[in-house]
Amino acid sequence: MWYLCVFFHRLLDYRKPEVESLAQLFGATEDPKNGDVPSQMQWKLPIHYHPDSPFHFVNLPSEKLARDIATRSILVKGMYELWGEGSSYEELKESVLSYPDERKLPYLDSDSTFKITVDSFGKVISLEDQKELIQGLSYIPFKGRVKLKNPDHNFWLIEVDNYGGNNGLPPIVQKRVFFGREVGGADRKLLPTYQLKSRTYLGPTAMDAEIAFLMANQALATSGKLVYDPFVGTGSILVAAAHFGAITMGADIDIRVVRDGRGPNCNVWSNFKQYGLPLPVGLLRADNNLPPWRSTLKEVFDAIICDPPYGVRAGGRKSGGRKLLKGAVEPYTVPDEKRTDHIPSTAAYSLVECVHDLFDLAAKMLLMGGRLVFFYPVLREDGFPENHFPEHPCFKLISSSEQILSSRYSRVLLTMVKTGPYTEEIAEAARKKHIEFKENHVKWLEDGNLHSAVFSPADDQFTEAGDPKLIKDPKPKYRGKYV
């Protein structure tokens, strides 16, 4: 059945991949012809609508699946059984009246309670106009009692104005009005509850709560699944996974982060206790370059979710120190009396090397069909090189969702699924792919100058023109993925 899916107007690239991942999580089977999208799931736009519009139609096999997706999703505002639509309220009336009575009458009986909400996109509707619009729906034979809090049925009247393209929103050619029954809606309290400003323990790389929940959804985190973060930091990503019931485990090279925090009541464990979540089964001081797992240990985790260090807010580190890695000193054993307070030496760890090690870890430790979800940086002014994303023979790319952070810099959330077992032959093929990727990729990854590129002065066109305010377009055009 086709449902009207209304998104929050932000993180545009993330919207469809999240819905498709949740459809798979809640039981929709993969399409054999297109494994990236569950079977019986199709997308289409309303008439004359821009692809970045918050309004999409999605075909799903059941109302329960639509409700489950909407309830858990971070970016879906609501799923609606559409009773009618039109370019005017006269067309809307004709459309609603022609909708089959057998679909409408079960929700209009006298024993039920209901509520009608008026919403809009691209305009503001006053309370007086909202009341008038609701009264204009008198042709619908509601017999139940109005109840504004927790009614049995929620109905939505949504108006999209033909505002053109000069207000920062995706352009609309023609006005459209929708009326439908809410099948499922987002949990509006989730993100305010987990917002970072109220978090007990934070670090400079703490993942924003909204993005962390999106990553957990992409990884299909749910009750009984074991989720691992090899760059755990202050645990923001694992907090989101634990909220959905997953068993969590993390590691970080900095023992001061995972063991000490800022005291007994301000550490990684405190973040889980703050929300009443199950504590991680373990937090390890471990190096992604030298993982501590036994060589025979394989296929342990259901998902690996992480934000690798790529040098904007923090650079990557690996064990050894410069002198040890250059061979100036021999490997040493830390004496027993110094182990409690010893901080091991570390050296710079390039992003290309870090991602290669991450793939090797995931290929070994993920279950078949498990997901690897991680961020990868992009300098937008350089464009994408031919081999722009890292690859591995064990993994298939499911989605790549770009988040533009500035005119120069963006990051892409890569979601991959493990499709083949790890073998020595696979490891050798992955090593060759890594060398090819390293040679073909843009030079800034190896030079480590991403930070300076991101935080360099504004474009020359602004500095040459003087005050940027003087050349700013007084009528802002649609900003696309900047929302």
Side-chain angles (χ1 to χ4, degrees):
M1 182 176 176
W2 287 98
Y3 296 92
L4 177 64
C5 178
V6 180
F7 291 104
F8 291 108
H9 191 56
R10 58 175 182 260
L11 298 171
L12 307 184
D13 262 10
Y14 292 66
R15 302 182 303 184
K16 287 185 180 179
E18 186 198 22
V19 171
E20 290 162 3
S21 293
L22 293 178
Q24 184 175 340
L25 174 64
F26 291 119
T29 57
E30 288 188 354
D31 187 340
K33 295 181 181 179
N34 183 7
D36 296 352
V37 180
S39 61
Q40 303 181 42
M41 186 174 184
Q42 300 170 282
W43 294 95
K44 68 179 182 181
L45 282 168
I47 300 173
H48 304 309
Y49 270 45
H50 191 281
D52 287 343
S53 163
F55 300 89
H56 287 71
F57 290 114
V58 58
N59 188 20
L60 295 170
S62 70
E63 182 173 311
K64 182 181 183 304
L65 179 60
R67 181 182 302 108
D68 290 341
I69 292 173
T71 301
R72 168 148 170 177
S73 173
I74 304 302
L75 295 178
V76 172
K77 186 176 183 180
M79 287 273 193
Y80 308 94
E81 177 194 0
L82 195 63
W83 285 16
E85 62 174 313
S87 58
S88 65
Y89 283 94
E90 291 74 18
E91 287 188 15
L92 175 68
K93 180 178 179 179
E94 294 177 5
S95 181
V96 172
L97 292 177
S98 63
Y99 193 69
D101 287 340
E102 61 269 20
R103 297 288 307 171
K104 295 186 294 188
L105 293 179
Y107 307 100
L108 303 176
D109 64 89
S110 57
D111 294 330
S112 64
T113 58
F114 72 96
K115 173 187 175 183
I116 299 176
T117 301
V118 177
D119 199 5
S120 61
F121 185 73
K123 65 178 297 184
V124 176
I125 303 177
S126 66
L127 289 177
E128 291 75 13
D129 290 340
Q130 290 184 34
K131 293 177 182 178
E132 185 177 341
L133 291 175
I134 291 175
Q135 291 170 358
L137 298 174
S138 57
Y139 55 85
I140 303 176
F142 290 104
K143 298 178 181 178
R145 179 171 52 88
V146 173
K147 185 180 180 183
L148 299 182
K149 188 175 182 180
N150 298 322
D152 296 327
H153 310 300
N154 276 305
F155 296 91
W156 286 71
L157 178 65
I158 306 173
E159 181 177 330
V160 186
D161 199 13
N162 53 340
Y163 47 74
N166 290 326
N167 62 352
L169 297 176
I172 298 296
V173 176
Q174 188 179 43
K175 177 179 178 178
R176 207 73 183 162
V177 186
F178 304 97
F179 180 81
R181 176 180 63 88
E182 182 183 275
V183 172
D187 182 0
R188 306 295 198 272
K189 298 180 181 179
L190 180 63
L191 296 183
T193 299
Y194 285 91
Q195 59 187 336
L196 290 185
K197 67 180 183 181
S198 61
R199 189 74 54 87
T200 300
Y201 179 44
L202 286 178
T205 60
M207 182 62 67
D208 174 73
E210 182 178 35
I211 300 295
F213 279 107
L214 284 170
M215 296 176 78
N217 280 340
Q218 288 293 93
L220 310 184
T222 190
S223 179
K225 288 192 175 183
L226 180 58
V227 173
Y228 179 64
D229 182 354
F231 311 101
V232 67
T234 57
S236 296
I237 295 174
L238 292 189
V239 164
H243 171 82
F244 292 131
I247 304 167
T248 59
M249 186 174 184
D252 200 282
I253 194 170
D254 192 342
I255 193 171
R256 294 166 295 184
V257 173
V258 295
R259 183 191 64 185
D260 303 327
R262 295 192 177 90
N265 297 316
C266 186
N267 49 44
V268 180
W269 308 100
S270 305
N271 287 340
F272 290 82
K273 294 176 182 177
Q274 177 181 355
Y275 303 112
L277 300 174
L279 299 179
V281 295
L283 293 176
L284 309 176
R285 189 279 173 187
D287 181 2
N288 187 58
N289 185 244
L290 296 170
W293 316 106
R294 299 194 307 270
S295 59
T296 56
L297 188 63
K298 295 181 180 179
E299 300 192 357
V300 175
F301 304 117
D302 293 282
I304 294 178
I305 319 175
C306 61
D307 183 26
Y310 38 82
V312 176
R313 286 181 291 179
R317 309 295 295 177
K318 62 180 179 180
S319 299
R322 292 190 300 271
K323 293 182 179 180
L324 182 62
L325 294 176
K326 290 180 179 179
V329 298
E330 296 294 325
Y332 61 92
T333 301
V334 179
D336 290 341
E337 65 273 14
K338 295 183 177 180
R339 290 195 174 192
T340 301
D341 299 322
H342 178 70
I343 305 298
S345 300
T346 60
Y349 190 27
S350 72
L351 177 63
V352 171
E353 186 181 8
C354 175
V355 171
H356 170 69
D357 294 339
L358 176 62
F359 270 127
D360 194 61
L361 169 71
K364 288 180 182 178
M365 302 298 286
L366 277 178
L367 298 173
M368 192 65 67
R371 289 198 171 191
L372 171 63
V373 181
F374 67 100
F375 271 109
Y376 196 76
V378 173
L379 275 180
R380 304 182 66 241
E381 58 188 12
D382 291 341
F384 289 118
E386 182 178 352
N387 187 12
H388 57 279
F389 291 142
E391 299 177 346
H392 192 283
C394 281
F395 291 91
K396 175 184 177 182
L397 180 66
I398 294 296
S399 66
S400 56
S401 306
E402 185 180 12
Q403 181 186 12
I404 295 177
L405 302 175
S406 72
S407 61
R408 295 173 177 265
Y409 162 60
S410 65
R411 60 180 180 178
V412 180
L413 182 63
L414 300 177
T415 301
M416 299 184 174
V417 61
K418 184 177 177 181
T419 57
Y422 180 86
T423 63
E424 294 301 324
E425 292 77 12
I426 288 290
E428 178 61 22
R431 187 185 67 82
K432 292 179 179 178
K433 274 187 173 292
H434 165 64
I435 294 174
E436 179 185 354
F437 174 76
K438 184 176 180 179
E439 291 175 348
N440 287 293
H441 212 274
V442 284
K443 194 170 184 297
W444 56 267
L445 284 177
E446 280 301 286
D447 290 346
N449 63 356
L450 178 60
H451 183 279
S452 60
V454 171
F455 294 102
S456 60
D459 297 338
D460 293 338
Q461 59 175 333
F462 292 111
T463 56
E464 292 175 1
D467 189 353
K469 296 180 180 179
L470 299 178
I471 61 174
K472 185 178 179 181
D473 190 341
K475 295 182 179 180
K477 300 294 190 295
Y478 173 49
R479 298 171 297 153
K481 295 173 185 176
Y482 280 92
V483 296

